[in-house]
Amino acid sequence: MWKKITFLMAMGLLIYSCAKVPMSGRSQLALVSNEELLPLAYEQYAQVLKENKVVTNTADGQMVVKVGRRIAEAVEKYMREQGYEKQLEGFAWEFNLIDEDIVNAWCMPGGKVAFYTGIIPICQDEAGVAVVMGHEVAHAIANHGRERMSNGLLLNGLLGGAQAAMGQNPTLTQNIFLQAFGAGGQLGMLKFSRRHELEADQLGLNFMAMAGYDPRVAPGFWDRMSEGRNGAPPEFLSTHPGPGRRKEQLEKQMPKAMEYYENSEYR
């Protein structure tokens, strides 16, 4: 009897704790609120900036900030128009270029974005940076980090949200957070699921187009990324969808992205 009651309570909690991803409409688990999660993410992001050399006074550093702000502004406009403005509560966009030869970029919950200088040559130009920026912003808008942490809590039997989990098992909860966001090790080497990556590709293509960047440059960027600088794919792609599948999805999404691009006020 008690097992049955516990099961029904858990199922009720899971149903109550579902959210929808803007634009894609996919249902996702949301045991953790952004109100709980964002302060943790912001603290971790500040620590990364403190421990690394941030490039602010170069053309590349300024380009990363410019592209990020432009995409964030366009996405915020879209979210307001679609009635999703509450999902942006607590967001504090920030865009930084870190001086390290790593082919990578990442975004923590709440819009905290970091690029590494090693990815800039593969981006080649502002439009290439927009491909990556759109993808990373999409991870934040789709709350992939929150979903990842929620799944981690669920798998470990911690169903009451971040604060309750900290009370039950603070060490385990902290480890789940660090794993969810790639912290503790090489930050940013996030192993999001292929589903998350493909969803970020889809949303990111639309987001760059909304900001007035031609989405047709995206397949070429992913070709360059898959080749890497020495003929081998970087670790960034180790758990990502293959280039063929990625390009196939981008081509399917391209007509819709072109509509956003042609109607963008930023062109």
Side-chain angles (χ1 to χ4, degrees), residues 184-223:
Q186 194 167 17
L187 183 72
M189 291 301 182
L190 306 182
K191 292 180 171 57
F192 281 121
S193 69
R194 284 175 170 78
R195 177 175 63 182
H196 283 172
E197 292 300 338
L198 289 171
E199 189 168 62
D201 279 356
Q202 174 191 348
L203 272 62
L205 191 73
N206 290 337
F207 290 165
M208 68 175 292
M210 290 174 186
Y213 293 106
D214 191 340
R216 289 170 292 189
V217 307
F221 166 82
W222 289 113
D223 279 340

Side-chain angles (χ1 to χ4, degrees), residues 19-238:
K20 283 194 177 295
V21 177
M23 191 173 284
S24 77
R26 180 178 65 83
S27 295
Q28 61 180 178
L29 187 63
L31 292 177
V32 185
S33 69
N34 277 341
E35 192 173 64
E36 296 176 294
L37 184 60
L38 297 189
L40 298 174
Y42 293 173
E43 181 180 350
Q44 187 66 46
Y45 186 77
Q47 187 66 27
V48 172
L49 299 186
K50 182 179 178 181
E51 295 174 353
N52 291 274
K53 181 181 178 182
V54 178
V55 180
T56 58
N57 59 349
T58 67
D60 287 341
Q62 292 168 6
M63 177 170 61
V64 167
V65 173
K66 174 187 175 182
V67 174
R69 287 177 176 170
R70 183 163 148 181
I71 289 180
E73 183 178 327
V75 169
E76 286 185 344
K77 181 175 182 292
Y78 167 80
M79 295 285 278
R80 287 194 301 270
E81 291 173 347
Q82 299 300 315
Y84 287 117
E85 62 271 16
K86 285 189 176 181
Q87 293 201 27
L88 292 173
E89 288 181 358
F91 270 53
W93 297 103
E94 195 170 349
F95 311 96
N96 284 289
L97 179 63
I98 295 175
D99 187 12
E100 192 164 350
D101 192 25
I102 298 175
V103 182
N104 196 27
W106 46 266
C107 181
M108 296 195 98
K112 299 297 188 181
V113 179
F115 272 58
Y116 291 98
T117 52
I119 202 172
I120 298 298
I122 296 177
C123 292
Q124 293 187 341
D125 54 21
E126 190 172 320
V129 170
V131 175
V132 181
M133 189 68 73
H135 177 93
E136 298 305 333
V137 165
H139 278 308
I141 293 297
N143 284 303
H144 287 156
R146 183 181 69 184
E147 182 178 7
R148 183 178 169 85
M149 187 169 182
S150 296
N151 288 334
L153 292 174
L154 177 63
L155 288 173
N156 286 278
L158 302 170
L159 299 177
Q163 293 300 324
M166 285 295 287
Q168 297 171 50
N169 194 327
T171 301
L172 177 58
T173 303
Q174 181 70 11
N175 287 338
I176 291 171
F177 170 78
L178 293 175
Q179 292 168 11
F181 304 113
Q186 194 167 17
L187 183 72
M189 291 301 182
L190 306 182
K191 292 180 171 57
F192 281 121
S193 69
R194 284 175 170 78
R195 177 175 63 182
H196 283 172
E197 292 300 338
L198 289 171
E199 189 168 62
D201 279 356
Q202 174 191 348
L203 272 62
L205 191 73
N206 290 337
F207 290 165
M208 68 175 292
M210 290 174 186
Y213 293 106
D214 191 340
R216 289 170 292 189
V217 307
F221 166 82
W222 289 113
D223 279 340
R224 297 192 301 276
M225 177 64 94
S226 66
E227 293 168 0
R229 288 172 299 182
N230 299 311
E235 187 177 351
F236 181 82
L237 296 177
S238 61

